[in-house]
Amino acid sequence: QVQVVESGGGLVQPGGSLRLSCAVSGDIFKFYVMGWYRQAPGKQRELVATITEGVGTKYADSVKGRFTCSTDNAQNMVYLQMNSLKYEDTAVYYCYAESLMKYSGDRVQSWGKGTLVTVST
């Protein structure tokens, strides 16, 4: 079983910054992918940024140059630094992890419950 818990959402003004954190726990041997997705009201969930083992980091075009995704593998944490926030960044942000489980050898996809980011004056 993998637990994924996000934190750091809130209300921020346009042009401001916010940092999201995500803690992933469980009997995990290693991660294949860690990252963030988001879902705005009335829209489908979309990729924001992911870090794939051996491949690198992928960003949505809409956040390139403004958002930075990083991991602390020793602590099983993934972060999303969001700068120059825009109204259209308002969404529920979900942490995602794809893990190789230590004992079962299963490859598991896991999601957090989400954290709301609201960009508004």
Side-chain angles (χ1 to χ4, degrees), residues 57-111:
T57 307
K58 178 179 180 180
Y59 292 97
D61 288 342
S62 60
V63 307
K64 281 181 182 176
R66 300 188 298 122
F67 290 12
T68 302
C69 184
S70 60
T71 60
D72 180 342
N73 290 328
Q75 299 295 325
N76 288 358
M77 297 288 295
V78 57
Y79 304 97
L80 186 68
Q81 178 66 43
M82 305 184 292
N83 299 327
S84 303
L85 282 160
K86 304 177 180 180
Y87 291 112
E88 51 264 42
D89 293 319
T90 295
V92 177
Y93 284 71
Y94 297 91
C95 181
Y96 170 79
E98 190 169 330
S99 316
L100 176 64
M101 303 308 291
K102 190 179 298 183
Y103 300 113
S104 67
D106 291 337
R107 186 163 177 162
V108 175
Q109 296 179 334
S110 307
W111 294 90

Side-chain angles (χ1 to χ4, degrees), residues 2-7 20-26 28 31 34 36 72 75-79 95 97 111-112:
V2 177
Q3 294 79 43
V4 181
V5 180
E6 305 99 335
S7 61
L20 305 183
S21 300
C22 173
V24 185
S25 59
I28 298 166
F31 294 103
M34 297 182 83
W36 297 89
D72 180 342
Q75 299 295 325
N76 288 358
M77 297 288 295
V78 57
Y79 304 97
C95 181
W111 294 90

